[in-house]
RNA sequence: GGCGACGUAGCCAAGUGGCUAAGGCGGAGGUCUGCAAAACCUCUAUGCAUCGGUUCGAAUCCGAUCGUCGCCUCCA
C-alpha cells in the first residue's frame, strides 16, 4: 500500500504525491518563544519529526522549514492588546529579543533531548520583516487589503475562497458571538496584516504605513514561500491553528500569488489533562523540563508515539509509567540481542521473518503515519526474538546483526527512539563500566561459594545506585534502572 | 449561538463492514533462578457510551439520545 495521509483540506486520506517526484517541501508552524515548551509542543514536533524521518526513510529528499515566532502575537483583538513577548519581557525585565533568544535556546534544548531532528531552515519572524512588508504590498496592489490609520487589514469579503480549510462561511462567523466588530475594520472577519505601533511599543519597524509590526499570520506566509516557493507540499501545525491562523495563511498566500499554496495540510491533535486541553490559558501544562525530571525524554517520546498524531493524548503519571515499562521492554530486547551477538557463536536460523516485520511496519506507517500500530509490530518482533533467544540454541551471528539493524533502523532512526543507535535518550549519569565489572566479578566469586548474603548485598547496593543486575546462563548482565525511573 | 471531533477492558491505545476485537501497562497463575531480575507460557472486553435502523453480516454505515472535548481571542 502506498503512503496515504489525511489532508485537512479534503478531510480524507489521500495518496501522497509530492509536487516534485523526489523532493518534499514541508513547513511546520514553530513555537512562539515566550516561555518553556510543554508536553503539547512535544506532541506536535515529535509528530512532524516522525513524518520527516519517515519520508526520508522512504527515500525522499525533504526540505523542512520550521519558524521561530519572536515577534509575538497580540493577547487580544483590541488595539490596546499587548504583544505576548513584550508582556512577558516586561514581567521578566528583559528586552523582548533577549527573552526570545533565551526561550529559543530552551526550545531547542528540549527538542534535542527528545531526539527531534532540527529543521533545515529555522527562520525568525523578526528577521523577515522586509518579506512580510513586500507581501502586504502585493495584497494591497491586488485590492485584497486596505490601510486604516497606519494598520493594514486583509479584506476577507473580497477573497472568495476564505474558509475552504476550516469550512466556515462568513455568515457563520457573523453569527458567532465572539467576533467583535472593530471600528477600523470594514468587516468583523478582516484580520491584521500590519499593526500601527503605539508610542510605548518596543517591537517596531518602519513600513510604508508608518512604524508598526506585522500581524498575526503574515510571517508564516512570507517565510514559507520565501524558502519553499509559492506552492509546496506539506504544511503542518497544531489543530488549534487550523482556524484562524492557517485559513488566513491560505488567504494571504493564494491571494498574493494566485497559485495553490499548500497541497497537504496536516494537523496534530492535542495533549489533554483530565480530558482538557493542556495549554497556557488553563495553566494545566507540564513543561518538558519538569517532565524530564521524572521521565527520560525517550519515555516521553515513546508515550507520545504510542498514540496517533491525529488523536488526543491524555496525560497521566500512570500512563507515562506504563510507557516507561513498555519502552524498557524494547530496550531490554535490544540488549539481549547485543549480548547474544557478543558471545560470537555460530548458530542456526531462528525462523524470524524480518521482511514480514518490515512490511508490517511500512503498512502501518503508510497509513497516515500510524506509529502506534508500528510500535505494536515492534513488540511482536520483540516477543519472537526473546522466544528465539530463550530456546537455548544459539542464533547465527548474521541473524543477530540483522535483528539489531532492524531495531536500530525502524525503532531507533525512523521513530527516533534511539534504540540500538547507541543513543538511548537517557539522562542518568554514567557509571564506570570497569568498576562495575569488578563488582560483578567479585559477586560471581561469592556466588560460587554460595555466600548469598554477601552477593545480595552487592546486588542491592548497586540497585540503590540505579544499577540492576541480571544473572543469566552466559553471565551477569547489568543495566541502569529501567528508562523513566 | 455557529462549526467540528471523540466516547473500545483497571490505565494507555490500534482497529472504520466479514476469521476467535491488535499492542503496551497493570492484575492472576506458571516455567526458569540459590533468591531475584529479565525472558517466555496461560488467563484477564460474548464486548466496543445508550437505544433504534440499514445489511446475510456493524465497534465500524445511518438516525436519535446521553456524555466529554476542541475551534470560533494568542496557543503545538
Amino acid at each position: 500500500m502506498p503512503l496515504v495521509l489525511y489532508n485537512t483540506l479534503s478531510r480524507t486520506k489521500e495518496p501522497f504525491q509530492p509536487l516534485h517526484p523526489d523532493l518534499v517541501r514541508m513547513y511546520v508552524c514553530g513555537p512562539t518563544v515566550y516561555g518553556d515548551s510543554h508536553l503539547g509542543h512535544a506532541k506536535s514536533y515529535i509528530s512532524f519529526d516522525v513524518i520527516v524521518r519517515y519520508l526520508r526513510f522512504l527515500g525522499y529528499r525533504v526540505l523542512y522549514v520550521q519558524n521561530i515566532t519572536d515577534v509575538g502575537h497580540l493577547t487580544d483583538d483590541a488595539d490596546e492588546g499587548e504583544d505576548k513577548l513584550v508582556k512577558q519581557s516586561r514581567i521578566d525585565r528583559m528586552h523582548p529579543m533577549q527573552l526570545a533568544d533565551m526561550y529559543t535556546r530552551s526550545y531547542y534544548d528540549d527538542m534535542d533531548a527528545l531526539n527531534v531532528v532540527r529543521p533545515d531552515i529555522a527562520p525568525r519572524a523578526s528577521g523577515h520583516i522586509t518579506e512580510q512588508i513586500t507581501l502586504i504590498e502585493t495584497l494591497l496592489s491586488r485590492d485584497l487589503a486596505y490601510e486604516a490609520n497606519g494598520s493594514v487589514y486583509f479584506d476577507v469579503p473580497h477573497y472568495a475562497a476564505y474558509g475552504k480549510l476550516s469550512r466556515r462561511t462568513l455568515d457563520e462567523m457573523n453569527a458567532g458571538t465572539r467576533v467583535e466588530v472593530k471600528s477600523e475594520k470594514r468587516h468583523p472577519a478582516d484580520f491584521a496584516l500590519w499593526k500601527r505601533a503605539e508610542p510605548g511599543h518596543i517591537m517596531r519597524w518602519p513600513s510604508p504605513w508608518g512604524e508598526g509590526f506585522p500581524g498575526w499570520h503574515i510571517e508564516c506566509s512570507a517565510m514559507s514561500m520565501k524558502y519553499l516557493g509559492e506552492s509546496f507540499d506539506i504544511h503542518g501545525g497544531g489543530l488549534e491553528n487550523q482556524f484562524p491562523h492557517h485559513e488566513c495563511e491560505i488567504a494571504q498566500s493564494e491571494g498574493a500569488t494566485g497559485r495553490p499554496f499548500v497541497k497537504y495540510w496536516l494537523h496534530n491533535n492535542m495533549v489533554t489533562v483530565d480530558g482538557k486541553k493542556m495549554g497556557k490559558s488553563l495553566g494545566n501544562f507540564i513543561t518538558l523540563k519538569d517532565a524530564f525530571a521524572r521521565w527520560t525524554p525517550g519515555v516521553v517520546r515513546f508515550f507520545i508515539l504510542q498514540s496517533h498524531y491525529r488523536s488526543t493524548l491524555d496525560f497521566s503519571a500512570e500512563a507515562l509509567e506504563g510507557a516507561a515499562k513498555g519502552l524498557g521492554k524494547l530496550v531490554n530486547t535490544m540488549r539481549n540481542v547485543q549480548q547474544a551477538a557478543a558471545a560470537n557463536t555460530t548458530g542456526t536460523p531462528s525462523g524470524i521473518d524480518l521482511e514480514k516485520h518490515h512490511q508490517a511496519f511500512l503498512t502501518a506507517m503508510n497509513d497516515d503515519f500510524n506509529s502506534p500500530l508500528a510500535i505494536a509490530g515492534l513488540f511482536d518482533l520483540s516477543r519472537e526474538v526473546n522466544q528465539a533467544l530463550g530456546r537455548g540454541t544459539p542464533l547465527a551471528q548474521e541473524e543477530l546483526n540483522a535483528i539489531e539493524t532492524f531495531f536500530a533502523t525502524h525503532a531507533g532512526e525512523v521513530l527516533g527512539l534511539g534504540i540500538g543507535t547507541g543513543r538511548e535518550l537517557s539522562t542518568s549519569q554514567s557509571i564506570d563500566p570497569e568498576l562495575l565489572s569488578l563488582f560483578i566479578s567479585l559477586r560471581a566469586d561469592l556466588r560460587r561459594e554460595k555466600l548469598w548474603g554477601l552477593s545480595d548485598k552487592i546486588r542491592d547496593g548497586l540497585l540503590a545506585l540505579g544499577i540492576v543486575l541480571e544473572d543469566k546462563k552466559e553471565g551477569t548482565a547489568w543495566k541502569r534502572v529501567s528508562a523513566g525511573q
Side-chain angles (χ1 to χ4, degrees), chain A residues 1-287:
Chain A
M1 184 182 72
L3 174 62
V4 296
L5 36 77
Y6 184 87
N7 188 350
T8 306
L9 267 180
S10 65
R11 309 283 161 108
T12 57
K13 288 179 186 173
E14 299 177 14
F16 181 61
Q17 299 261 328
L19 296 169
H20 296 285
D22 298 318
L23 172 66
V24 177
R25 289 167 301 173
M26 174 166 165
Y27 185 91
V28 169
C29 287
T32 304
V33 282
Y34 66 105
D36 284 325
S37 304
H38 55 70
L39 282 168
H41 296 95
K43 176 165 167 66
S44 186
Y45 298 120
I46 287 171
S47 297
F48 290 108
D49 181 54
V50 167
I51 288 172
V52 170
R53 287 166 175 270
Y54 186 63
L55 290 173
R56 286 178 176 152
F57 177 68
L58 291 181
Y60 292 106
R61 193 158 62 88
V62 180
L63 177 56
Y64 180 28
V65 178
Q66 184 192 110
N67 64 295
I68 292 286
T69 297
D70 59 356
V71 173
H73 296 296
L74 298 184
T75 50
D76 62 52
D77 198 29
D79 280 345
E80 57 276 12
E82 193 172 10
D83 188 303
K84 283 188 299 197
L85 265 158
V86 172
K87 184 180 179 187
Q88 190 62 41
S89 68
R90 189 162 42 74
I91 293 168
D92 292 348
R93 299 186 179 206
M94 293 167 71
H95 190 280
M97 279 296 129
Q98 185 185 359
L99 188 87
D101 262 318
M102 185 174 98
Y103 286 118
T104 300
R105 281 194 294 274
S106 163
Y107 169 70
Y108 284 125
D109 284 348
D110 292 340
M111 292 302 125
D112 289 348
L114 288 167
N115 202 20
V116 170
V117 174
R118 296 255 186 138
D120 298 303
I121 303 174
R124 293 171 67 138
S126 65
H128 296 75
I129 302 295
T130 311
E131 287 84 351
Q132 296 176 66
I133 289 174
T134 303
L135 189 57
I136 294 167
E137 287 178 318
T138 303
L139 289 168
L140 280 167
S141 72
R142 288 192 155 225
D143 209 24
L144 284 169
Y146 57 88
E147 185 189 346
N149 298 323
S151 295
V152 182
Y153 294 93
F154 189 92
D155 193 344
V156 171
H158 277 190
Y159 180 73
Y162 193 80
K164 71 176 181 180
L165 179 71
S166 58
R167 305 208 169 177
R168 290 161 200 255
T169 65
L170 278 183
D171 291 344
E172 287 163 10
M173 284 181 270
N174 279 336
T177 55
R178 299 177 68 179
V179 177
E180 287 179 53
V181 180
K182 286 288 146 216
S183 55
E184 283 187 356
K185 292 194 203 173
R186 293 181 190 165
H187 188 279
D190 291 352
F191 56 91
L193 299 170
W194 187 264
K195 293 287 281 183
R196 173 189 66 251
E198 300 302 330
H201 203 94
I202 302 170
M203 306 264 267
R204 57 202 298 149
W205 291 267
S207 82
W209 317 285
E211 293 227 326
F213 52 96
W216 323 313
H217 315 297
I218 194 73
E219 61 170 274
C220 285
S221 288
M223 297 191 292
S224 62
M225 291 197 292
K226 170 164 184 169
Y227 297 110
L228 298 175
E230 293 179 346
S231 298
F232 56 93
D233 301 293
I234 295 174
H235 190 126
L239 200 57
E240 76 283 354
N241 279 327
Q242 208 176 88
F243 188 90
H245 183 58
H246 291 156
E247 193 68 63
C248 295
E249 272 189 61
I250 293 174
Q252 293 163 343
S253 305
E254 299 193 351
T257 67
R259 302 188 52 197
F261 177 47
V262 168
K263 189 167 182 187
Y264 303 99
W265 282 91
L266 270 44
H267 291 99
N268 67 276
N269 219 315
M270 283 147 296
V271 176
T272 57
V273 181
D274 296 327
K276 289 195 174 51
K277 175 185 172 181
M278 178 181 289
K280 305 241 178 187
S281 48
L282 278 175
N284 60 348
F285 60 91
I286 292 143
T287 68

Side-chain angles (χ1 to χ4, degrees), chain A residues 1-3 54 57-58 355-367 374 410:
Chain A
M1 184 182 72
L3 174 62
Y54 186 63
F57 177 68
L58 291 181
E355 180 56 26
K356 179 192 74 182
H357 286 284
H358 177 65
Q359 289 304 325
F361 186 85
L362 289 180
T363 300
M365 293 300 283
N366 276 345
D367 185 11
H410 296 71

Side-chain angles (χ1 to χ4, degrees), chain A residues 13 43 46-48 50-51 54 269 300-313 323 326-327 330 357 360-381 410-411 414-417:
Chain A
K13 288 179 186 173
K43 176 165 167 66
I46 287 171
S47 297
F48 290 108
V50 167
I51 288 172
Y54 186 63
N269 219 315
V300 173
R301 184 174 178 107
F302 184 75
F303 170 67
I304 285 167
L305 291 178
Q306 262 195 307
S307 83
H308 189 90
Y309 78 93
R310 281 192 294 111
S311 302
T312 55
L313 173 62
L327 177 62
L330 291 180
H357 286 284
F361 186 85
L362 289 180
T363 300
M365 293 300 283
N366 276 345
D367 185 11
D368 197 31
F369 313 105
N370 194 334
S371 59
L373 190 58
I375 287 172
L378 293 178
F379 279 110
D380 291 336
L381 173 61
H410 296 71
V414 179
L415 296 179
L417 294 170

